[in-house]
Amino acid sequence: MSALTSESLTDKEKSEFMQQIKQEFAIASAQEMLSKMSEKCFKKCVVRPGTSLDSSEQKCVAMCMDRYMDAFNLVSKTYSARIQREHNRM
């Protein structure tokens, strides 16, 4: 089986390949973000696990999730811009 190189791909194939990578990255990133956000915000905000969250725990979890989402979005935008720059170099 021959190695796949960027020289052996047409422009359309390169574009489709990059789109597929972006989609796979988005899915993996969303799954990772949800997992990490749940873990970190639960550890930070829920000190006495029970059958429900009290109002201070609910507020803490909501604020933690908002901060985590903001940071995730910034990293995602930066990474997407880098991928786009790399794509434009091809």
Side-chain angles (χ1 to χ4, degrees), residues 26-64:
I27 291 168
S29 295
Q31 290 171 335
E32 178 72 14
M33 180 207 49
L34 289 173
S35 175
K36 290 286 186 181
M37 182 173 57
S38 296
E39 177 186 331
K40 291 186 182 297
C41 292
F42 185 85
K43 282 182 181 179
K44 176 182 179 358
C45 299
V46 182
V47 292
R48 295 178 316 278
T51 58
S52 63
L53 299 176
D54 65 28
S55 62
S56 64
E57 290 170 329
Q58 289 176 12
K59 184 176 180 179
C60 179
V61 168
M63 291 176 64
C64 178

Side-chain angles (χ1 to χ4, degrees), residues 8 20 29 45 51 60 66 72 74-75 78 84:
S8 67
Q20 181 181 359
S29 295
C45 299
T51 58
C60 179
D66 286 344
F72 178 82
L74 177 63
V75 170
T78 302
Q84 186 62 43

Side-chain angles (χ1 to χ4, degrees), residues 21 25 29 74-84:
I21 289 173
F25 175 74
S29 295
L74 177 63
V75 170
S76 294
K77 286 178 185 178
T78 302
Y79 187 75
S80 293
R82 182 174 179 181
I83 287 176
Q84 186 62 43

Side-chain angles (χ1 to χ4, degrees), residues 9-26:
L9 298 174
T10 66
D11 287 341
K12 182 180 177 188
E13 290 170 330
K14 287 179 188 178
S15 178
E16 289 171 355
F17 182 66
M18 288 301 293
Q19 189 61 33
Q20 181 181 359
I21 289 173
K22 286 179 186 178
Q23 289 172 350
E24 289 176 12
F25 175 74

